[in-house]
Amino acid sequence: MTHIAIIGFGEAGQIYAEGLARKATIRVWDKKLMGSEAASLCARAQQLNVGLATSLGEAIQGADLILSLVTAGNAREVAEQAAPLLVSGQHFLDFNSVSPATKQAAAEAVKHGKGNYLDVAVMAPVPPKRLATPLLLAGPHADLLAETLTSLDCHARAVSDSIGDVSAIKMCRSVMIKGLEALTTECLSAAQQYGVEDAVLASLHASFPSMGWNDQLPHYLISRVAEHGVRRAEEMGEVVKTLQDAGVDAMMSKAIRQVQAALPAKMTERGILYSDLQPFVWQTSLNTLK
């Protein structure tokens, strides 16, 4: 049976741990296990019937695949910490949403050890599709690892032998996806203050009838900012880096980063958790945060 270490036991890490446990032995590690969230993470691991490691080294030991599912700000550091611990035949799969340059730096660190590095781009929110979420792979072992992940019920496709290629796809896509979330939040926050939100949504629906502006789309887009804005703002920092490395000024991406960060910052200021806003209705939620 395949042995898999999952580094990062947040939302995505838990989903992959649960899904992959059907066909593999799973051991997880998260630095939050050393802090105030340890009890809840231990309970979650027990519920999913996956093993908990006491350190990064213990998690990696004996694993065939190491899946890094941490935050953008921690991605390179985790790769650098894992690099000297890897042995021949182990594959470090970097699932994190970071710039091609960050992936290349992480790959260089792993290259100095004995393991293999793979650039993985997660091309949609992990919930609701879970293991069926599309994954793009790049690196010298992309074809082999795409087959391995597919055998574990993941939806993986090898795209390139070059580290950074699929991250470039993900980062450029994020300008549009995170931008649409930010624009919707800003647009409807203002429309609500003027009392014209229904007219604005009707106009958007008339212009783009297939998108769902008259249904669930506004709730979904703004809820993503409320729930994941901190992480998305961090990812947009990597997007800015990606664009600037290509000679693009990234003015819009800088603004998207600010909007993504602003809503959760306001929630923190008011002592409001995302769970307090459930079921999420954008009108009620924005009114609460006035």
Side-chain angles (χ1 to χ4, degrees):
M1 179 174 278
T2 302
H3 292 258
I4 299 174
I6 295 179
I7 313 304
F9 199 45
E11 179 185 44
Q14 291 177 26
I15 289 172
Y16 275 100
E18 181 178 16
L20 293 170
R22 293 193 292 265
K23 290 193 172 184
T25 300
I26 307 297
R27 188 161 57 231
V28 302
W29 163 249
D30 193 306
K31 66 180 183 180
K32 290 179 181 177
L33 288 165
M34 303 170 66
S36 60
E37 297 182 49
S40 62
L41 291 178
C42 288
R44 183 60 174 152
Q46 186 174 17
Q47 181 184 22
L48 298 180
N49 196 30
V50 299
L52 275 179
T54 59
S55 67
L56 177 64
E58 183 183 332
I60 289 174
Q61 187 174 16
D64 303 298
L65 309 178
I66 298 93
L67 277 55
S68 178
L69 289 153
V70 297
T71 61
N74 289 312
R76 179 174 174 177
E77 181 182 3
V78 168
E80 291 173 342
Q81 291 174 347
L85 305 175
L86 299 173
V87 300
S88 180
Q90 287 186 308
H91 300 278
F92 185 92
L93 281 65
D94 195 336
F95 277 63
N96 301 299
S97 297
V98 294
S99 71
T102 301
K103 288 280 182 88
Q104 288 159 1
E108 190 64 26
V110 172
K111 182 180 177 181
H112 288 139
K114 296 181 179 178
N116 302 311
Y117 180 93
L118 193 76
D119 177 10
V120 181
V122 184
M123 298 305 294
V126 176
K129 290 188 176 182
R130 305 178 76 82
L131 291 194
T133 303
L135 303 175
L136 301 182
L137 279 58
H141 301 271
D143 288 330
L144 171 64
L145 270 298
E147 291 180 10
T148 300
L149 289 172
T150 299
S151 73
L152 295 169
D153 295 333
C154 293
H155 182 39
R157 180 166 64 90
V159 171
S160 170
D161 292 334
S162 299
I163 301 296
D165 281 0
V166 296
S167 288
I169 297 171
K170 174 65 185 275
M171 292 290 98
C172 293
R173 177 184 183 274
S174 288
V175 176
M176 190 64 66
I177 299 301
K178 275 65 174 182
L180 186 58
E181 295 169 352
L183 284 170
T184 302
T185 301
E186 186 167 277
C187 167
L188 294 182
S189 293
Q192 188 179 57
Q193 295 307 306
Y194 284 104
V196 296
E197 62 268 35
D198 291 342
V200 169
L201 287 170
S203 177
L204 288 171
H205 177 64
S207 297
F208 307 101
S210 64
M211 291 185 67
W213 289 109
N214 64 337
D215 194 14
Q216 293 304 305
L217 184 63
H219 303 290
Y220 174 75
L221 292 175
I222 298 175
S223 76
R224 301 301 288 175
V225 180
E227 184 176 14
H228 299 298
V230 173
R231 176 165 56 81
R232 279 162 145 64
E234 197 170 273
E235 180 181 327
M236 287 309 299
E238 291 290 323
V239 170
V240 169
K241 185 188 303 182
T242 300
L243 270 57
Q244 290 178 335
D245 286 346
V248 177
D249 187 68
M251 290 185 291
M252 292 294 293
S253 294
K254 292 173 187 175
I256 292 165
R257 182 183 187 182
Q258 292 177 321
V259 176
Q260 287 280 353
L263 186 60
K266 188 177 289 187
M267 291 167 61
T268 300
E269 181 184 310
R270 305 286 176 83
I272 296 172
L273 301 174
Y274 180 71
S275 57
D276 298 331
L277 301 174
Q278 297 302 302
F280 193 93
V281 177
W282 78 262
Q283 296 94 328
T284 305
S285 297
L286 294 186
N287 263 326
T288 301
L289 293 167
K290 278 183 182 177

